[in-house]
Amino acid sequence: MKPKVEDLVQTPIPTRHGEFILHYYSNNLDDKEHVALVRGKVDGIEHVPVRIHSECFTGDVLGSRRCDCGEQLDMALQMIDEKGVGILIYLRQEGRGIGLLKKLQAYNLQDAGMDTVDANIHLGHLADEREYDIAALILRSLNVKSIELITNNPKKIEGLQKLGMNVVDRIPIVAAAHNDNLDYLKTKARKMAHMLFERKKENE
């Protein structure tokens, strides 16, 4: 079965970061509701700013300070608004792909002393089970020629490139570190190679 997505509905969504067109996609890979928020003309355009954001109910909706997800979502929409063009793809893969129940169980393990990676592994999962096939299909359906990926995660760039996407640049998106998320951010940098806490070189 060839993977495919279908753009079923497009509707304007006014936000505090400007007006976007919300695209609702069906697909034949899972039964989840993936969407894309599109700002401006992206059809046939090069260097389109793109954020691929995985669902985080606790951070995106409740404003949890345990992670940087909600802040990154808001920052990405602001970046796209400032550029006047861009795409935010919202993938329904909660908890790096392990689901909300397991993510909450992992939180309790973290409170008992594990880090985010060890907690996922303890629950029988990989540190990160996210996939980007649907994101690549959505970008193709929007006929984007090349993208500047808003991310700190090198594996996200590699994953999209392996799927044939032309990623020409990376746009950093670093949320503020504080007492509630500092260990989480350090673990992402140390164990998952996220580009955080990097010092600028002299004369750079």
Side-chain angles (χ1 to χ4, degrees):
M1 180 176 62
K2 184 178 179 180
K4 65 178 182 179
V5 298
E6 186 177 356
D7 191 350
L8 294 181
V9 180
Q10 309 87 44
T11 190
I13 299 291
T15 78
R16 62 195 177 103
H17 296 301
E19 186 167 294
F20 292 76
I21 302 298
L22 181 65
H23 295 245
Y24 176 105
Y25 285 89
S26 66
N27 73 89
N28 63 351
L29 295 177
D30 61 36
D31 59 356
K32 298 177 181 178
E33 298 176 308
H34 307 285
V35 298
L37 278 165
V38 180
R39 178 71 180 274
K41 174 180 167 53
V42 298
D43 186 355
I45 303 301
E46 303 270 3
H47 294 264
V48 176
V50 172
R51 169 69 181 171
I52 298 175
H53 190 90
S54 295
E55 179 180 25
C56 176
F57 171 73
T58 50
D60 298 342
V61 178
L62 301 181
S64 169
R65 288 168 57 87
R66 296 186 71 127
C67 63
D68 57 349
C69 303
E71 290 170 276
Q72 286 189 326
L73 177 62
D74 193 62
M75 290 170 66
L77 290 172
Q78 183 177 341
M79 288 178 186
I80 291 170
D81 176 50
E82 290 172 353
K83 291 179 179 292
V85 64
I87 302 166
L88 187 139
I89 297 174
Y90 197 85
L91 296 180
R92 310 305 290 271
Q93 42 187 7
E94 177 79 48
R96 296 192 191 127
I98 69 173
L100 182 58
L101 173 62
K102 290 296 182 72
K103 184 178 87 167
L104 298 181
Q105 292 172 341
Y107 279 173
N108 287 338
L109 292 173
Q110 291 165 40
D111 290 341
M114 292 187 184
D115 62 34
T116 58
V117 169
D118 290 341
N120 279 20
I121 292 171
H122 183 82
L123 291 170
H125 292 274
L126 301 176
D128 190 342
E129 296 187 355
R130 289 175 294 180
E131 297 179 346
Y132 302 105
D133 304 67
I134 289 174
L137 290 170
I138 289 173
L139 290 170
R140 288 195 184 96
S141 82
L142 294 168
N143 196 32
V144 174
K145 294 304 181 185
S146 67
I147 69 172
E148 298 181 5
L149 195 61
I150 303 171
T151 188
N152 305 315
N153 184 355
K155 289 187 177 179
K156 190 178 289 186
I157 298 171
E158 293 168 11
L160 285 172
Q161 289 174 332
K162 286 179 181 178
L163 292 165
M165 295 309 305
N166 186 12
V167 184
V168 294
D169 201 2
R170 179 182 79 90
I171 301 173
I173 180 165
V174 181
H178 47 72
N179 289 338
D180 293 314
N181 70 8
L182 183 57
D183 288 342
Y184 165 85
L185 295 175
K186 285 182 175 179
T187 298
K188 287 209 295 186
R190 186 177 70 253
K191 289 191 172 183
M192 303 180 75
H194 284 218
M195 290 172 270
L196 300 166
F197 306 109
E198 294 181 332
R199 293 183 179 179
K200 289 187 175 181
K201 296 177 183 178
E202 290 186 15
N203 302 321
E204 187 174 85

